[in-house]
Amino acid sequence: DFTGKRALVVEDNELNQEIAQYLLMESGLEVTLAVNGKEATECFEKAAPHTWDIIFMDVMMPLMNGYEATRAIRALDRPDAAEIPIIAMTAHAFAEDVKAAMDAGMNEHITKPLEPEIIIRVLQKWIGDKA
């Protein structure tokens, strides 16, 4: 149970937003949604440091893709910007997708549609298991 932890979900597809939100809330997290990388970057910048424990970032989005948004967040001059786990989400897991995610400063790459056991594993790995 990850009650008290908070996730920022950055996803432009409504169905994928709903799946991510449902799975994360089922795990006890509070979820904030952003619909593109620009909104996510602004949201992160305006929020108090350490507002979120993890970010799930879609890669292909209009206005600012997940790689650009990750680089923008990582470049912010505050400790949580460098430390927060940013999880890349794409529809497939080709080696070049994984490499691009890592090159952009993301911590891990997962594929959509999201599955409960993958969400639990990622949460345990990056924000710890309080159970």
Side-chain angles (χ1 to χ4, degrees):
D1 184 26
F2 298 94
T3 304
K5 299 287 188 178
R6 295 177 301 275
L8 177 59
V9 173
V10 190
E11 171 65 69
D12 63 326
N13 177 290
E14 211 170 296
L15 179 60
N16 288 329
Q17 282 176 3
E18 287 177 22
I19 292 169
Q21 190 168 20
Y22 173 79
L23 292 174
L24 291 167
M25 288 171 71
E26 281 287 296
S27 299
L29 280 87
E30 288 176 44
V31 177
T32 303
L33 289 174
V35 295
N36 59 57
K38 185 178 187 311
E39 186 180 308
T41 304
E42 289 169 358
C43 201
F44 190 91
E45 221 169 341
K46 288 177 185 157
H50 305 288
T51 293
W52 292 285
D53 298 289
I54 192 166
I55 299 174
F56 287 87
M57 179 84 71
D58 184 33
V59 170
M60 303 311 294
M61 294 177 289
L63 292 180
M64 182 187 266
N65 71 38
Y67 304 132
E68 294 165 330
T70 296
R71 284 191 286 270
I73 288 169
R74 294 288 189 223
L76 296 173
D77 187 22
R78 48 192 265 191
D80 61 332
E83 297 163 5
I84 191 163
I86 301 179
I87 311 303
M89 301 185 297
T90 60
H92 36 65
F94 297 125
E96 57 266 27
D97 295 319
V98 178
K99 182 181 182 331
M102 299 304 127
D103 289 349
M106 295 169 149
N107 298 85
E108 188 170 335
H109 176 280
I110 58 176
T111 57
K112 299 182 289 185
L114 300 177
E115 295 172 25
E117 50 286 352
I118 291 175
I119 290 292
I120 296 299
R121 181 191 58 74
V122 167
L123 294 175
Q124 286 173 340
K125 178 177 178 181
W126 294 105
I127 62 176
D129 189 0
K130 298 194 317 188

